[in-house]
Amino acid sequence: MLDVENLGIRFGGLHAVRDVTASIPAGQITAIIGPNGAGKSTFFNLISGFYRPTTGAVRFQGEDLTRRPTHEVVARGVARTFQTTTIYRELSVLENAMIGHRVRTRAGLLDALLRTPRERQDAQGSRDGALRALERVGLVRQAHLPAGALTQEGQKRVGIAMALASEPKLLLLDEPAAGMNPEETVNLMALIRELVAGGLTVALVEHKMSLVMGLADHILVLHHGQLIAQGTPAQVSRDPAVIEAYLGSHAHGGQMGQGGEAAHA
């Protein structure tokens, strides 16, 4: 679904991501993992249009998105969430989700000022799209509440609903379980599985190895901005380069994710 070829970006003399060639297959859950500073979030920023690469290309369903601005990337079906919950706490849950749908509207400033039929049609379309997104994340009953009144898990779901309201084909989740307790993490895993079962493709950056190993179909492993391994959870957990990257001299032949040090890398 999404392919990158020789993807890289430099900040000054630093290669934050370097020569990454990989694919995110359709209909699956792909996890991007690696130690702190591996370049995971930078990689996400490159494939979602927030950064323009220094080298290489990004293609989505065969279309070159390398130089397209973020809103055009979203309009073509790639949406993302962020490490920190970027919601409007004072607005209602529904209003937050409606903001996510605006990329699908056609009305301009003049339409809004004059309340033209196109503006009214777009407003109703945004409401309908937002409600569909809230239904998918289980928040329809909370639609009228201020988003800031929800629990941490609820606010994460609002963020996901905002992304879903743009009607994506590929959803990028940047550390979706950050700040969540074990029960909330399990609930999130169930939600992601439901979204993929419903036809969505998901890629996520995540530090919680229990979530990654229990959820991902496919894993890309970055280290110092380079791709050092990819494959199924079983394959990458046994890869010597991955074990060394996570555990260094403490590996002793163990598997990534089984020891406390790996789980918190």
Side-chain angles (χ1 to χ4, degrees):
M1 173 172 271
L2 185 140
D3 302 287
V4 300
E5 182 178 356
N6 299 324
L7 192 66
I9 188 170
R10 290 192 306 271
F11 298 107
L14 173 67
H15 285 273
V17 172
R18 185 171 188 173
D19 296 330
V20 174
T21 297
S23 297
I24 295 174
Q28 295 187 17
I29 301 170
T30 298
I32 296 95
I33 68 170
N36 289 330
K40 303 181 295 296
S41 290
T42 301
F43 178 75
F44 248 35
N45 285 333
L46 287 168
I47 64 177
S48 58
F50 280 83
Y51 291 164
R52 289 194 175 185
T54 306
T55 59
V58 179
R59 295 183 179 87
F60 180 65
Q61 296 186 318
E63 181 181 1
D64 191 343
L65 299 185
T66 309
R67 301 296 172 186
R68 292 199 178 275
T70 304
H71 70 276
E72 291 187 11
V73 174
V74 175
R76 280 159 176 75
V78 181
R80 68 168 292 180
T81 65
F82 296 85
Q83 291 181 23
T84 55
T85 306
T86 52
I87 63 173
Y88 298 90
R89 296 172 57 87
E90 71 282 1
L91 297 182
S92 72
V93 169
L94 177 60
E95 289 168 332
N96 271 272
M98 289 177 67
I99 291 170
H101 189 269
R102 293 302 293 182
V103 71
R104 295 296 173 191
T105 61
R106 297 177 298 121
L109 177 60
L110 186 60
D111 292 295
L113 292 174
L114 299 179
R115 292 294 294 165
T116 64
R118 180 163 60 179
E119 167 64 21
R120 293 194 296 272
Q121 183 179 6
D122 278 354
Q124 185 60 51
S126 291
R127 181 181 177 84
D128 293 343
L131 286 171
R132 287 194 297 271
L134 293 178
E135 179 72 34
R136 296 178 77 179
V137 302
L139 288 180
V140 169
R141 292 184 178 180
Q142 290 80 25
H144 65 287
L145 295 176
L150 272 58
T151 64
Q152 175 73 6
E153 179 187 352
Q155 292 183 34
K156 290 277 189 177
R157 288 176 181 254
V158 172
I160 293 173
M162 291 177 71
L164 291 176
S166 70
E167 301 175 6
K169 300 170 185 174
L170 171 62
L171 177 62
L172 307 176
L173 303 174
D174 195 350
E175 296 194 32
M180 287 189 173
N181 62 39
E183 180 181 356
E184 291 171 334
T185 299
V186 169
N187 293 339
L188 176 70
M189 291 172 68
L191 172 60
I192 294 172
R193 290 193 185 99
E194 289 173 7
L195 294 175
V196 174
L200 197 62
T201 299
V202 170
L204 57 91
V205 167
E206 186 52 63
H207 282 287
K208 292 185 178 180
M209 288 298 104
S210 60
L211 184 151
V212 170
M213 294 300 169
L215 189 63
D217 302 299
H218 183 67
I219 297 177
L220 306 176
V221 187
L222 297 178
H223 188 42
H224 296 313
Q226 295 182 291
L227 183 70
I228 62 170
Q230 59 182 311
T232 66
Q235 289 170 335
V236 300
S237 68
R238 293 191 297 264
D239 191 298
V242 177
I243 296 170
E244 179 66 23
Y246 268 90
L247 299 178
S249 60
H250 299 287
H252 298 308
Q255 290 189 351
M256 181 189 65
Q258 291 187 346
E261 206 168 339
H264 296 289

